[in-house]
Amino acid sequence: MTLQWTAVAFFLYAEMVVNLILCIPFISAKRWHLVFNWRIWSWLSPYWNKFFFAMIMALVVLFFDAIREVQKYSGPEPMQDAQTNPNLYDHVHMKLFRAQRNLYICGFSLFLWLVMRRVVTLLNEIAVASENNAGLQAQMDNAFKAAEKHQENSQSLQKALLEREQSMSTTENQLKMVIEKLQSQLNITKEAVRRSNAEVEAIRRQAKGLAQEYDRLLREHSLIQNLQSAEDKKDK
C-alpha cells in the first residue's frame, strides 16, 4: 500500500472512531453542543469549511483514480496477457485486488466524511431545538401561570363585584326600609299636626264664644246696675 492509500486508510479508521463516538447514546446532544462551542472550534471555524471541501476534492480525485485502476486491471487486455503468462496472471489479480481495496477505502472514507459532517450538524440542530423547546416550555409555563393568576384575579374581582352588589342591594333595602319608616312617621306626624290644628281651631272658636258671652254678660250687668241706680234715685 502506497503512502497516499495508507493515509486514506488511517483517515477512514479515524472517521469510524469519530462517528462511533458521536453515536454513543449516553452522550446527549446538549453535551456535544457544549463541546462544539469550545473556543478552539471557534478559532478553527474559518478553516473548517476549506478543510472539509479540500478533503472532499482529494477523496473524489482518489476515488476516480481507484476506479481508473480497477478498470485498468479488469479490462480484456490485462486478462489476455495474464492467461498467456501464469506469473502475470497472479500479478494482475493482485493489482486488481489492491485497486478494488483502494476503491472501497476511498468510497467509504468519502461517505463517512459526509456522514460525520451531517451528524455534527444534526447534533447541533437537536441541541438548539431542545434549548428552544425548553425556552418555549418555560414561556408556556409562565403564560399558563399568568393565565391562572389572571383567572384567579378575575374570579376574585367577580366575587368582589358580587359581594358589592349584594351589599349595595342590602343597603338599598335598608334605605328603603328607613324611607318607609320615615314616611310612616311623617304621616303620623302630619296626622298629629292636623289634629292639633283642629283642636287649636276648636279652642279658638270656644274662646271667641266665651269672649262674646263675657261681653254680653258685662252689658247686662251694666244695664242692671243702671236700672238699680235709676230706681234708687226715684225712691229718694
Side-chain angles (χ1 to χ4, degrees), residues 96-138:
L96 180 62
F97 170 75
R98 289 179 178 176
Q100 291 175 347
R101 179 199 62 192
N102 295 335
L103 177 66
Y104 295 145
I105 290 173
C106 188
F108 278 111
S109 296
L110 181 61
F111 174 73
L112 289 179
W113 184 243
L114 297 174
V115 168
M116 185 174 65
R117 173 67 178 269
R118 186 59 178 168
V119 168
V120 171
T121 304
L122 289 176
L123 287 174
N124 283 323
E125 291 178 354
I126 291 171
V128 172
S130 63
E131 290 179 358
N132 293 331
N133 189 17
L136 291 175
Q137 186 67 32

Coordinates of all heavy atoms in Angstrom, one line a residue, residues 96-138:
L96 N -5.5 -5.9 -9.3 CA -6.9 -5.6 -9.3 C -7.5 -5.6 -7.9 O -8.3 -4.8 -7.5 CB -7.6 -6.7 -10.1 CG -9.1 -6.6 -10.2 CD1 -9.5 -5.3 -10.9 CD2 -9.7 -7.8 -11.0
F97 N -7.0 -6.5 -7.0 CA -7.4 -6.6 -5.6 C -7.0 -5.3 -4.9 O -7.9 -4.7 -4.2 CB -6.8 -7.8 -4.9 CG -7.0 -7.8 -3.4 CD1 -8.2 -8.1 -2.9 CD2 -5.9 -7.4 -2.6 CE1 -8.4 -8.1 -1.5 CE2 -6.1 -7.4 -1.2 CZ -7.3 -7.7 -0.7
R98 N -5.8 -4.8 -5.1 CA -5.4 -3.6 -4.5 C -6.2 -2.4 -5.0 O -6.6 -1.5 -4.2 CB -3.9 -3.3 -4.7 CG -3.0 -4.3 -4.0 CD -1.6 -4.0 -4.3 NE -0.7 -4.9 -3.6 CZ 0.7 -4.9 -3.7 NH1 1.2 -4.1 -4.6 NH2 1.4 -5.8 -3.0
A99 N -6.5 -2.4 -6.3 CA -7.3 -1.3 -6.8 C -8.7 -1.3 -6.3 O -9.3 -0.2 -5.9 CB -7.4 -1.3 -8.4
Q100 N -9.3 -2.5 -6.2 CA -10.7 -2.6 -5.6 C -10.6 -2.2 -4.1 O -11.6 -1.5 -3.6 CB -11.2 -4.0 -5.7 CG -11.5 -4.3 -7.2 CD -11.9 -5.8 -7.4 OE1 -11.8 -6.6 -6.4 NE2 -12.5 -6.1 -8.5
R101 N -9.6 -2.6 -3.4 CA -9.4 -2.3 -2.0 C -9.3 -0.8 -1.8 O -10.0 -0.2 -1.0 CB -8.2 -3.0 -1.4 CG -8.0 -2.6 0.1 CD -6.5 -3.0 0.4 NE -5.6 -2.1 -0.4 CZ -4.3 -2.4 -0.4 NH1 -3.7 -3.4 0.2 NH2 -3.5 -1.6 -1.2
N102 N -8.5 -0.1 -2.6 CA -8.4 1.3 -2.6 C -9.7 2.0 -2.9 O -10.1 3.1 -2.3 CB -7.3 1.8 -3.5 CG -5.9 1.3 -3.1 OD1 -5.7 1.0 -1.9 ND2 -5.0 1.1 -4.1
L103 N -10.5 1.4 -3.9 CA -11.7 2.0 -4.2 C -12.7 2.0 -3.0 O -13.4 3.0 -2.7 CB -12.3 1.2 -5.4 CG -13.7 1.7 -5.9 CD1 -13.7 3.1 -6.4 CD2 -14.3 0.7 -6.9
Y104 N -12.8 0.8 -2.4 CA -13.7 0.7 -1.2 C -13.2 1.6 -0.1 O -14.1 2.3 0.6 CB -13.7 -0.7 -0.7 CG -14.3 -1.7 -1.7 CD1 -13.8 -3.0 -1.9 CD2 -15.4 -1.3 -2.5 CE1 -14.4 -3.9 -2.8 CE2 -15.9 -2.2 -3.5 CZ -15.4 -3.5 -3.6 OH -16.0 -4.3 -4.5
I105 N -11.9 1.7 0.2 CA -11.4 2.6 1.2 C -11.8 4.0 1.0 O -12.2 4.7 1.8 CB -9.9 2.4 1.4 CG1 -9.6 1.0 2.0 CG2 -9.3 3.5 2.3 CD1 -8.1 0.7 2.1
C106 N -11.5 4.4 -0.3 CA -11.7 5.8 -0.6 C -13.2 6.1 -0.6 O -13.7 7.2 -0.2 CB -11.1 6.1 -2.0 SG -11.2 7.8 -2.4
G107 N -14.1 5.2 -1.1 CA -15.5 5.4 -1.2 C -16.1 5.5 0.2 O -16.9 6.4 0.5
F108 N -15.7 4.6 1.1 CA -16.2 4.6 2.5 C -15.7 5.9 3.2 O -16.4 6.4 4.1 CB -15.8 3.3 3.2 CG -16.7 2.2 2.9 CD1 -16.3 1.1 2.2 CD2 -18.1 2.2 3.4 CE1 -17.2 0.1 1.9 CE2 -18.9 1.2 3.1 CZ -18.5 0.1 2.4
S109 N -14.4 6.3 2.9 CA -13.9 7.5 3.5 C -14.7 8.7 3.1 O -15.1 9.5 4.0 CB -12.4 7.7 3.2 OG -11.6 6.6 3.6
L110 N -15.0 8.8 1.9 CA -15.8 9.9 1.4 C -17.2 9.9 2.0 O -17.8 10.9 2.4 CB -15.9 9.9 -0.1 CG -16.7 11.0 -0.8 CD1 -16.1 12.4 -0.5 CD2 -16.8 10.8 -2.3
F111 N -17.8 8.7 2.1 CA -19.2 8.5 2.6 C -19.2 8.9 4.1 O -20.0 9.7 4.6 CB -19.6 7.1 2.4 CG -20.9 6.8 3.1 CD1 -22.1 7.3 2.6 CD2 -21.0 6.0 4.2 CE1 -23.3 7.0 3.2 CE2 -22.2 5.7 4.8 CZ -23.4 6.2 4.3
L112 N -18.2 8.4 4.9 CA -18.2 8.7 6.3 C -17.8 10.1 6.6 O -18.3 10.7 7.6 CB -17.2 7.7 7.0 CG -17.6 6.3 7.1 CD1 -16.5 5.5 7.8 CD2 -18.9 6.1 7.9
W113 N -17.0 10.7 5.7 CA -16.7 12.2 5.9 C -18.0 13.0 5.7 O -18.2 13.9 6.5 CB -15.7 12.6 4.8 CG -15.2 14.0 4.9 CD1 -15.4 14.9 4.0 CD2 -14.5 14.6 6.0 NE1 -14.8 16.1 4.4 CE2 -14.2 15.9 5.6 CE3 -14.0 14.1 7.2 CZ2 -13.5 16.8 6.4 CZ3 -13.3 15.0 8.0 CH2 -13.1 16.3 7.6
L114 N -18.8 12.7 4.8 CA -20.1 13.4 4.6 C -21.1 13.1 5.8 O -21.8 14.0 6.3 CB -20.8 13.0 3.3 CG -20.0 13.5 2.0 CD1 -20.7 12.9 0.8 CD2 -19.9 15.0 1.9
V115 N -21.1 11.8 6.2 CA -21.9 11.4 7.3 C -21.5 12.1 8.6 O -22.4 12.6 9.4 CB -21.9 9.9 7.5 CG1 -22.6 9.5 8.8 CG2 -22.6 9.2 6.3
M116 N -20.2 12.2 8.8 CA -19.7 12.9 10.0 C -20.2 14.3 10.1 O -20.6 14.9 11.1 CB -18.2 12.7 10.1 CG -17.6 13.3 11.4 SD -15.9 12.9 11.6 CE -15.3 13.9 10.2
R117 N -20.0 15.0 8.9 CA -20.5 16.4 8.8 C -22.0 16.5 9.1 O -22.4 17.4 9.9 CB -20.1 17.0 7.4 CG -20.7 18.4 7.2 CD -20.0 19.4 8.0 NE -20.5 20.8 7.7 CZ -20.0 21.6 6.8 NH1 -18.9 21.2 6.1 NH2 -20.5 22.8 6.6
R118 N -22.7 15.6 8.6 CA -24.2 15.6 8.8 C -24.5 15.3 10.2 O -25.5 15.9 10.8 CB -24.9 14.6 7.8 CG -26.4 14.7 7.9 CD -26.9 16.1 7.5 NE -28.3 16.1 7.5 CZ -29.0 17.3 7.4 NH1 -28.4 18.4 7.4 NH2 -30.3 17.2 7.4
V119 N -23.8 14.4 10.8 CA -24.1 14.0 12.2 C -23.8 15.2 13.2 O -24.6 15.5 14.1 CB -23.3 12.8 12.6 CG1 -23.3 12.6 14.2 CG2 -23.8 11.6 12.0
V120 N -22.7 15.9 12.9 CA -22.4 17.1 13.7 C -23.4 18.2 13.6 O -23.9 18.8 14.5 CB -21.0 17.6 13.3 CG1 -20.7 18.9 14.0 CG2 -19.9 16.6 13.7
T121 N -23.9 18.4 12.3 CA -24.9 19.4 12.1 C -26.2 19.0 12.8 O -26.9 19.9 13.4 CB -25.2 19.5 10.6 OG1 -23.9 19.9 9.9 CG2 -26.2 20.6 10.3
L122 N -26.6 17.7 12.7 CA -27.8 17.3 13.3 C -27.7 17.4 14.9 O -28.7 17.8 15.5 CB -28.1 15.9 12.9 CG -28.6 15.7 11.5 CD1 -28.8 14.2 11.2 CD2 -29.9 16.4 11.2
L123 N -26.6 17.1 15.4 CA -26.4 17.2 16.9 C -26.6 18.7 17.3 O -27.2 19.0 18.3 CB -25.0 16.7 17.3 CG -24.9 15.2 17.2 CD1 -23.4 14.8 17.5 CD2 -25.8 14.5 18.3
N124 N -26.0 19.6 16.5 CA -26.1 21.0 16.9 C -27.6 21.4 16.7 O -28.1 22.2 17.6 CB -25.3 21.9 16.0 CG -23.8 21.8 16.4 OD1 -23.5 21.8 17.6 ND2 -22.9 21.8 15.4
E125 N -28.3 21.0 15.7 CA -29.7 21.4 15.5 C -30.5 20.8 16.6 O -31.5 21.5 17.0 CB -30.1 20.9 14.1 CG -29.5 21.7 12.9 CD -30.0 21.1 11.6 OE1 -30.7 20.1 11.6 OE2 -29.6 21.8 10.6
I126 N -30.3 19.5 17.0 CA -31.1 18.9 18.0 C -30.9 19.7 19.3 O -31.8 19.9 20.1 CB -30.7 17.4 18.2 CG1 -31.2 16.7 17.0 CG2 -31.3 16.9 19.4 CD1 -30.7 15.2 16.9
A127 N -29.6 20.0 19.6 CA -29.3 20.8 20.9 C -30.0 22.1 20.9 O -30.6 22.5 21.9 CB -27.8 20.9 21.1
V128 N -29.9 22.8 19.7 CA -30.6 24.2 19.6 C -32.1 24.0 19.7 O -32.8 24.8 20.4 CB -30.2 24.9 18.3 CG1 -31.0 26.1 18.1 CG2 -28.7 25.2 18.3
A129 N -32.6 22.9 19.1 CA -34.1 22.7 19.1 C -34.5 22.4 20.6 O -35.6 22.8 21.0 CB -34.5 21.6 18.2
S130 N -33.7 21.6 21.3 CA -34.1 21.2 22.6 C -34.0 22.5 23.5 O -34.9 22.7 24.4 CB -33.1 20.2 23.2 OG -31.8 20.6 23.2
E131 N -33.0 23.3 23.3 CA -32.9 24.6 24.1 C -34.1 25.5 23.8 O -34.7 26.1 24.7 CB -31.6 25.3 23.8 CG -30.4 24.7 24.3 CD -29.1 25.4 24.0 OE1 -29.3 26.4 23.2 OE2 -28.0 25.0 24.4
N132 N -34.5 25.6 22.5 CA -35.7 26.4 22.1 C -36.9 25.8 22.7 O -37.8 26.5 23.1 CB -35.8 26.5 20.6 CG -34.6 27.3 20.0 OD1 -34.1 28.2 20.7 ND2 -34.3 27.0 18.8
N133 N -37.0 24.4 22.7 CA -38.1 23.8 23.3 C -38.2 24.0 24.7 O -39.3 24.2 25.3 CB -38.0 22.3 23.0 CG -39.3 21.5 23.3 OD1 -40.4 22.1 23.5 ND2 -39.2 20.2 23.5
A134 N -37.1 24.0 25.4 CA -37.1 24.3 26.9 C -37.5 25.7 27.1 O -38.3 26.0 28.0 CB -35.7 24.0 27.4
G135 N -37.0 26.7 26.3 CA -37.4 28.1 26.4 C -38.9 28.2 26.1 O -39.6 28.9 26.9
L136 N -39.4 27.5 25.1 CA -40.8 27.6 24.8 C -41.7 27.0 25.9 O -42.7 27.5 26.3 CB -41.1 26.9 23.5 CG -40.6 27.6 22.2 CD1 -40.9 26.8 21.0 CD2 -41.3 29.0 22.0
Q137 N -41.1 25.9 26.5 CA -41.9 25.3 27.6 C -41.9 26.2 28.8 O -42.9 26.3 29.4 CB -41.2 23.9 27.9 CG -41.9 23.1 29.0 CD -43.2 22.6 28.5 OE1 -43.4 22.3 27.3 NE2 -44.2 22.4 29.4
A138 N -40.8 26.9 29.0 CA -40.8 27.8 30.1 C -41.7 29.0 29.9 O -42.5 29.4 30.8 CB -39.4 28.3 30.4

